Amino acid sequence: LPDIPIIALTATATAPVVKDMQEKLSFRKQSKVFQKSFARDNLSYVVLYEENKRAKMVEILKNVGGSGVVYVQNRRETKDVAYYLYQNGISADYYHAGRSGDIRNKVQESWIKNKVRIIVATNAFGMGIDKPDVRVVVHLTLPDSLEAYFQEAGRAGRDGIKSWAILLF
């Protein structure tokens, strides 16, 4: 469809990925790239060395109001950490690619509608999510790459209100 305008959107593409997207999609005007910095005035990045990461996570979530995401490494941890939060009086559910599509949709919808405050997830969660009022993103484990970290951390504070991205190691 040569006369139909095309736009490609991504939150965290590196320069080589942008170039590749433009080539693969046969963009005619490759100079039309609109990009913002990862830096946002309302988003504070915090890295903390902690012996007891789960206890620190609970402390953080009890001190920072609003909804949040806790990222963990694997599927088993999503369920374990969500239960740990529940035991500590924090509304939470878990999300990973191994759950049925129906369940994942229900969990995601409950979180988006603020019926569940915290979603504990693997990196399978978040693509296409644009919930503006996320106040905190906590990483209990290191993401696979710096780009993945910024993509996941950047889910906090999309409404411009003060928010935190916290990495516990």
Side-chain angles (χ1 to χ4, degrees):
L1 304 171
D3 297 325
I4 304 299
I6 297 174
I7 185 171
L9 304 169
T10 179
T12 55
T14 60
V17 172
V18 170
K19 185 175 187 266
D20 188 50
M21 288 170 59
Q22 292 173 334
E23 288 172 2
K24 298 290 189 284
L25 293 171
S26 302
F27 278 17
R28 291 185 294 251
K29 295 184 180 182
Q30 294 187 357
S31 63
K32 298 273 184 174
V33 175
F34 303 95
Q35 187 171 23
K36 286 181 153 184
S37 168
F38 286 122
R40 297 198 331 251
D41 291 341
N42 68 308
L43 186 53
S44 292
Y45 295 95
V46 180
V47 179
L48 300 172
Y49 174 77
E50 290 294 329
E51 290 292 327
N52 188 339
K53 295 189 297 184
R54 286 188 178 190
K56 186 64 173 180
M57 170 191 61
V58 167
E59 178 187 331
I60 289 164
L61 295 176
K62 286 189 174 183
N63 285 309
V64 177
S67 66
V69 182
V70 174
Y71 281 104
V72 296
Q73 191 68 38
N74 60 53
R75 294 174 180 183
R76 180 186 44 79
E77 279 184 293
T78 62
K79 187 175 182 179
D80 292 348
V81 171
Y83 184 67
Y84 181 81
L85 291 173
Y86 171 78
Q87 287 178 312
N88 283 275
I90 297 171
S91 168
D93 206 338
Y94 64 100
Y95 184 105
H96 61 70
R99 299 187 86 182
S100 74
D102 231 18
I103 297 291
R104 286 195 318 267
N105 288 337
K106 286 178 184 173
V107 168
Q108 181 176 308
E109 197 62 27
S110 291
W111 179 73
I112 287 171
K113 291 181 176 177
N114 295 317
K115 294 177 181 175
V116 171
R117 181 173 166 232
I118 304 297
I119 190 118
V120 182
T122 61
N123 63 1
F125 179 75
M127 297 304 285
I129 299 295
D130 193 20
K131 184 173 177 12
D133 62 345
V134 176
R135 291 294 147 251
V136 63
V137 172
V138 177
H139 281 85
L140 284 182
T141 51
L142 291 170
D144 294 333
S145 68
L146 192 55
E147 287 84 8
Y149 171 75
F150 277 107
Q151 184 174 43
E152 292 164 3
R155 297 203 167 96
R158 291 187 175 178
D159 57 3
I161 296 173
K162 185 68 178 170
S163 301
W164 288 264
I166 302 167
L167 174 64
L168 302 175
F169 75 99

